[in-house]
Amino acid sequence: ANVNGAARVRKAGGAAQFVEAMLALRAKHDATVLCLQHLDIPEASNEHTRVKAEFERLGFAFILRSNSKREAKSMDKQSGRGVAIICSAAMLLPGSEYPKSSSINAAEYPDAYGFYVGVILQMAGGASLHVMSVYAPVNNKSNDKHRPAVNIATEESILKIRKVHGNIGTAVAADANSVMNLNLDTLFGSQLRVKHSFMQKMITQMGFRDTFRECHPYETAFSRSISKLHASGVRYEASRIDVVLI
């Protein structure tokens, strides 16, 4: 889910409202885990503390990686930092959350910190599942160093987990800001032709599969739409940039 800012958590009672909305979404879709991107909640902030405490009170884990409020003031115009995973606390393998919570500059991949987060869930029957939530920054000049960094951090994280946990399955929920099929996945868009495409990295290079496209190989569908005003009139653009990869 691309939350695109969680402004409600800043208001009185906002943390409880946000948690209620997220758990209602989970129940509606009978979801095991929720993966959020573009989540405008600074890490280690009062808002983060309130939301995390409310989830924990209800038996859930809320794992957030984002920038701090201080870092947000000093950063360039790139945006989108703030990803999270919501799951049952009982399913979360203790200590499996990554990357380690830190300042951006102290992170293993500073240019990717706040754009990816992962955990291992303990499933029924003793099986385990590796889950990642990823936001691939939009294709603009201010993100030139962040897009390749996210690709590298995602790939290396997956390889590290596989090295330790063997043939564990991996599910990546992402706001990819790129597509694989220009004809089926966009309308008047050019999301395929982006530098350091997350979709090209995951599918072409790493062998992941797009769950929607596997089930609907020829269906045209979109997860994002926008109307833009041009000299010739209003132009409607749409694309399917939100994906679950396995």
Side-chain angles (χ1 to χ4, degrees):
N2 186 329
V3 182
N4 197 18
R8 72 173 69 187
V9 302
R10 301 188 185 95
K11 302 177 181 178
Q17 293 173 13
F18 175 75
V19 171
E20 181 181 4
M22 291 299 99
L23 294 185
L25 181 66
R26 176 182 180 270
K28 178 181 179 180
H29 296 282
D30 192 25
T32 299
V33 59
L34 291 182
C35 296
L36 310 180
Q37 301 91 34
H38 209 155
L39 187 62
D40 189 17
I41 299 178
E43 193 170 350
S45 63
N46 291 333
E47 296 93 332
H48 178 198
T49 300
R50 289 196 296 268
V51 168
K52 183 179 180 181
E54 182 65 13
F55 273 117
E56 289 177 348
R57 185 181 69 83
L58 297 172
F60 291 87
F62 178 72
I63 303 99
L64 171 74
R65 295 297 181 267
S66 183
N67 50 256
S68 68
K69 284 188 174 181
R70 178 177 293 181
E71 288 168 332
K73 293 179 181 179
S74 62
M75 286 190 303
D76 55 25
K77 294 182 179 179
Q78 60 79 211
S79 63
R81 268 194 171 99
V83 290
I85 291 176
I86 301 168
C87 63
S88 165
M91 295 181 66
L92 179 65
L93 179 66
S96 67
E97 310 97 306
Y98 70 87
K100 181 180 178 181
S101 180
S102 70
S103 65
I104 291 175
N105 289 335
E108 183 177 7
Y109 304 101
D111 290 328
Y113 190 84
F115 293 118
Y116 75 105
V117 63
V119 301
I120 294 177
L121 301 182
Q122 299 170 310
M123 312 297 286
S128 297
L129 177 66
H130 174 213
V131 178
M132 293 188 75
S133 177
V134 180
Y135 179 84
V138 296
N139 185 42
N140 58 38
K141 188 174 181 180
S142 63
N143 286 323
D144 279 352
K145 62 181 180 180
H146 301 291
R147 292 183 63 83
V150 170
N151 287 354
I152 291 170
T154 301
E155 178 181 25
E156 294 193 1
S157 296
I158 292 170
L159 295 178
K160 288 176 183 177
I161 292 294
R162 288 175 176 173
K163 185 175 181 179
V164 174
H165 296 274
N167 295 322
I168 188 172
T170 296
V172 180
D175 178 346
N177 279 305
S178 59
V179 301
M180 288 298 293
N181 190 311
L182 191 62
N183 294 322
L184 293 178
D185 297 327
T186 70
L187 179 66
F188 305 126
S190 58
Q191 296 288 343
L192 180 65
R193 302 185 183 94
V194 298
K195 293 181 179 179
H196 310 293
S197 165
F198 184 78
M199 292 294 283
Q200 292 282 359
K201 178 68 175 181
M202 297 300 292
I203 292 178
T204 304
Q205 297 181 32
M206 295 196 67
F208 276 77
R209 294 187 175 186
D210 178 352
T211 55
F212 178 86
R213 191 56 67 210
E214 289 292 315
C215 296
H216 309 281
Y218 307 111
E219 183 175 338
T220 300
F222 311 121
S223 63
R224 176 186 180 274
S225 61
I226 187 172
S227 297
K228 292 184 177 180
L229 184 62
H230 294 263
S232 58
V234 177
R235 181 176 178 177
Y236 177 75
E237 296 183 0
S239 53
R240 188 177 65 86
I241 56 176
D242 301 291
V243 296
V244 176
L245 308 175
I246 58 173

